[in-house]
Coordinates of all heavy atoms in Angstrom, one line a residue:
F223 N -45.8 -86.7 -147.3 CA -45.7 -87.6 -148.6 C -44.5 -88.5 -148.5 O -44.4 -89.5 -149.4 CB -45.8 -86.9 -149.9 CG -47.0 -86.0 -150.0 CD1 -46.9 -84.6 -149.9 CD2 -48.1 -86.6 -150.4 CE1 -48.1 -83.9 -150.1 CE2 -49.2 -85.8 -150.6 CZ -49.2 -84.5 -150.5
G224 N -43.6 -88.3 -147.5 CA -42.3 -89.1 -147.6 C -41.5 -88.7 -148.8 O -41.5 -87.5 -149.3
W225 N -40.9 -89.8 -149.4 CA -40.0 -89.4 -150.6 C -40.8 -89.0 -151.9 O -40.3 -88.4 -152.8 CB -39.0 -90.6 -150.9 CG -38.0 -90.6 -149.8 CD1 -37.9 -91.5 -148.7 CD2 -36.9 -89.8 -149.7 NE1 -36.8 -91.3 -148.0 CE2 -36.1 -90.3 -148.5 CE3 -36.4 -88.8 -150.5 CZ2 -35.0 -89.7 -148.1 CZ3 -35.1 -88.1 -150.1 CH2 -34.4 -88.6 -148.9
W226 N -42.1 -89.5 -151.9 CA -43.0 -89.0 -153.0 C -43.2 -87.5 -152.9 O -43.6 -86.9 -153.8 CB -44.4 -89.6 -152.9 CG -44.2 -91.1 -153.3 CD1 -44.4 -92.2 -152.5 CD2 -44.1 -91.6 -154.7 NE1 -44.2 -93.3 -153.3 CE2 -44.0 -93.1 -154.6 CE3 -43.9 -91.0 -155.9 CZ2 -43.9 -93.8 -155.7 CZ3 -43.8 -91.7 -157.0 CH2 -43.7 -93.1 -156.9
G227 N -42.9 -86.9 -151.8 CA -43.0 -85.4 -151.6 C -42.0 -84.7 -152.5 O -42.4 -83.5 -152.9
L228 N -41.0 -85.3 -153.0 CA -40.0 -84.5 -153.8 C -40.6 -84.1 -155.2 O -40.5 -82.9 -155.4 CB -38.8 -85.3 -153.9 CG -37.5 -84.6 -154.4 CD1 -37.2 -83.4 -153.3 CD2 -36.2 -85.6 -154.4
P229 N -41.1 -84.9 -156.0 CA -41.7 -84.5 -157.2 C -43.0 -83.6 -157.0 O -43.2 -82.7 -157.8 CB -42.2 -85.8 -157.9 CG -42.1 -86.9 -156.9 CD -41.0 -86.4 -155.8
I230 N -43.6 -83.8 -156.0 CA -44.9 -83.1 -155.7 C -44.5 -81.6 -155.2 O -45.1 -80.7 -155.6 CB -45.7 -83.7 -154.5 CG1 -46.2 -85.1 -155.0 CG2 -46.9 -82.8 -154.2 CD1 -46.9 -85.9 -153.8
L231 N -43.3 -81.6 -154.5 CA -42.8 -80.2 -154.2 C -42.3 -79.5 -155.4 O -42.6 -78.2 -155.6 CB -41.5 -80.4 -153.3 CG -40.9 -79.2 -152.7 CD1 -41.9 -78.5 -151.8 CD2 -39.6 -79.6 -152.0
F232 N -41.6 -80.1 -156.4 CA -41.3 -79.4 -157.7 C -42.5 -79.0 -158.5 O -42.6 -77.9 -158.9 CB -40.4 -80.3 -158.5 CG -39.0 -80.5 -158.1 CD1 -38.5 -81.7 -157.6 CD2 -38.2 -79.3 -158.1 CE1 -37.2 -81.8 -157.2 CE2 -36.9 -79.4 -157.7 CZ -36.4 -80.6 -157.2
A233 N -43.5 -79.8 -158.4 CA -44.8 -79.5 -159.1 C -45.5 -78.3 -158.4 O -46.0 -77.3 -159.0 CB -45.7 -80.7 -159.1
F234 N -45.4 -78.2 -157.0 CA -46.0 -77.1 -156.3 C -45.4 -75.9 -156.7 O -46.1 -74.8 -157.0 CB -45.8 -77.4 -154.8 CG -46.2 -76.2 -154.0 CD1 -47.4 -76.0 -153.5 CD2 -45.1 -75.4 -153.4 CE1 -47.8 -74.9 -152.7 CE2 -45.4 -74.3 -152.6 CZ -46.7 -74.1 -152.3
Y235 N -44.0 -75.8 -156.8 CA -43.4 -74.5 -157.1 C -43.4 -74.1 -158.6 O -43.6 -73.0 -159.0 CB -41.9 -74.5 -156.7 CG -41.7 -74.2 -155.2 CD1 -41.4 -75.3 -154.3 CD2 -41.9 -73.0 -154.7 CE1 -41.3 -75.0 -153.0 CE2 -41.8 -72.7 -153.4 CZ -41.4 -73.7 -152.6 OH -41.3 -73.4 -151.2
G236 N -43.5 -75.3 -159.4 CA -43.9 -75.0 -160.8 C -45.2 -74.3 -161.0 O -45.3 -73.4 -161.9
R237 N -46.1 -74.8 -160.3 CA -47.5 -74.1 -160.4 C -47.5 -72.7 -159.9 O -48.2 -71.9 -160.6 CB -48.5 -75.0 -159.7 CG -49.9 -74.5 -159.9 CD -50.9 -75.4 -159.3 NE -52.3 -75.0 -159.4 CZ -53.3 -75.7 -159.4 NH1 -53.3 -77.1 -159.0 NH2 -54.6 -75.3 -159.5
K238 N -46.8 -72.4 -158.9 CA -46.6 -71.1 -158.4 C -46.0 -70.2 -159.4 O -46.5 -69.0 -159.5 CB -45.9 -71.0 -157.0 CG -46.4 -71.7 -155.9 CD -47.5 -70.9 -155.4 CE -48.2 -71.6 -154.1 NZ -49.4 -71.0 -153.6
F239 N -45.1 -70.7 -160.1 CA -44.3 -69.9 -161.2 C -45.4 -69.7 -162.4 O -45.5 -68.5 -162.8 CB -43.2 -70.6 -161.7 CG -42.5 -70.0 -162.9 CD1 -41.9 -68.8 -162.8 CD2 -42.5 -70.6 -164.0 CE1 -41.4 -68.1 -163.9 CE2 -41.9 -70.1 -165.2 CZ -41.4 -68.8 -165.1
I240 N -46.0 -70.8 -162.8 CA -47.0 -70.6 -163.9 C -48.1 -69.6 -163.6 O -48.6 -68.8 -164.5 CB -47.5 -72.0 -164.3 CG1 -46.4 -72.9 -164.9 CG2 -48.8 -71.9 -165.3 CD1 -46.9 -74.4 -165.0
N241 N -48.5 -69.6 -162.3 CA -49.6 -68.8 -162.0 C -49.1 -67.3 -161.6 O -49.9 -66.5 -161.1 CB -50.4 -69.3 -160.7 CG -51.2 -70.6 -161.1 OD1 -51.4 -70.8 -162.2 ND2 -51.5 -71.4 -160.1
Q242 N -47.8 -67.1 -161.8 CA -47.2 -65.8 -161.6 C -47.3 -65.4 -160.2 O -47.3 -64.2 -159.8 CB -47.8 -64.7 -162.4 CG -47.6 -65.0 -163.9 CD -48.1 -64.0 -164.9 OE1 -48.9 -63.2 -164.5 NE2 -47.5 -63.8 -166.0
E243 N -47.3 -66.3 -159.2 CA -47.2 -66.1 -157.7 C -45.9 -65.9 -157.2 O -45.6 -65.2 -156.2 CB -47.9 -67.2 -157.0 CG -49.4 -67.3 -157.3 CD -50.0 -68.4 -156.5 OE1 -49.9 -68.6 -155.3 OE2 -50.6 -69.4 -157.2
I244 N -44.9 -66.4 -158.1 CA -43.4 -66.1 -157.8 C -42.8 -66.0 -159.2 O -43.2 -66.4 -160.2 CB -42.8 -67.3 -157.1 CG1 -42.9 -68.7 -157.8 CG2 -43.2 -67.5 -155.7 CD1 -42.2 -69.8 -157.2
K245 N -41.7 -65.1 -159.2 CA -41.0 -64.8 -160.4 C -39.9 -65.9 -160.7 O -39.6 -66.7 -159.9 CB -40.3 -63.5 -160.3 CG -41.4 -62.3 -160.1 CD -40.7 -60.9 -159.9 CE -41.7 -59.8 -159.7 NZ -41.1 -58.5 -159.6
A246 N -39.3 -65.7 -161.9 CA -38.5 -66.8 -162.4 C -37.3 -67.0 -161.4 O -37.0 -68.1 -161.0 CB -38.1 -66.4 -163.8
F247 N -36.5 -65.9 -161.1 CA -35.3 -66.0 -160.4 C -35.7 -66.5 -158.9 O -35.1 -67.3 -158.3 CB -34.6 -64.7 -160.3 CG -33.5 -64.8 -159.3 CD1 -32.3 -65.4 -159.7 CD2 -33.6 -64.3 -158.1 CE1 -31.2 -65.5 -158.8 CE2 -32.5 -64.2 -157.2 CZ -31.3 -64.9 -157.5
Q248 N -36.9 -66.0 -158.4 CA -37.5 -66.3 -157.1 C -37.7 -67.8 -157.0 O -37.5 -68.4 -156.0 CB -38.6 -65.4 -156.7 CG -39.1 -65.7 -155.3 CD -40.4 -64.9 -155.0 OE1 -41.0 -64.5 -156.0 NE2 -40.7 -64.7 -153.8
S249 N -38.2 -68.3 -158.2 CA -38.6 -69.8 -158.1 C -37.4 -70.6 -157.8 O -37.5 -71.7 -157.1 CB -39.2 -70.2 -159.5 OG -38.3 -70.1 -160.5
F250 N -36.2 -70.3 -158.3 CA -35.0 -71.0 -158.0 C -34.6 -70.9 -156.6 O -34.2 -72.0 -155.9 CB -33.8 -70.6 -158.9 CG -33.9 -71.0 -160.3 CD1 -34.3 -70.0 -161.3 CD2 -33.8 -72.2 -160.8 CE1 -34.5 -70.3 -162.6 CE2 -34.0 -72.6 -162.1 CZ -34.4 -71.6 -163.1
T251 N -34.7 -69.8 -156.0 CA -34.2 -69.6 -154.6 C -35.3 -70.3 -153.7 O -35.0 -70.9 -152.7 CB -34.2 -68.1 -154.2 OG1 -35.5 -67.4 -154.5 CG2 -33.1 -67.4 -154.9
C252 N -36.6 -70.2 -154.1 CA -37.6 -70.9 -153.2 C -37.4 -72.4 -153.2 O -37.5 -73.1 -152.2 CB -39.0 -70.7 -153.9 SG -39.6 -69.0 -153.6
V253 N -37.1 -73.0 -154.5 CA -36.9 -74.5 -154.6 C -35.7 -74.8 -153.7 O -35.6 -75.9 -153.0 CB -36.7 -74.9 -156.0 CG1 -36.4 -76.4 -156.0 CG2 -38.1 -74.7 -156.6

Side-chain angles (χ1 to χ4, degrees):
F223 299 105
W225 289 102
W226 285 109
L228 198 55
I230 298 172
L231 185 64
F232 282 114
F234 170 80
Y235 282 104
R237 183 166 182 170
K238 292 290 180 185
F239 173 67
I240 292 170
N241 292 339
Q242 299 183 334
E243 296 176 58
I244 55 177
K245 296 179 181 179
F247 177 75
Q248 186 186 19
S249 67
F250 289 105
T251 59
C252 287
V253 170

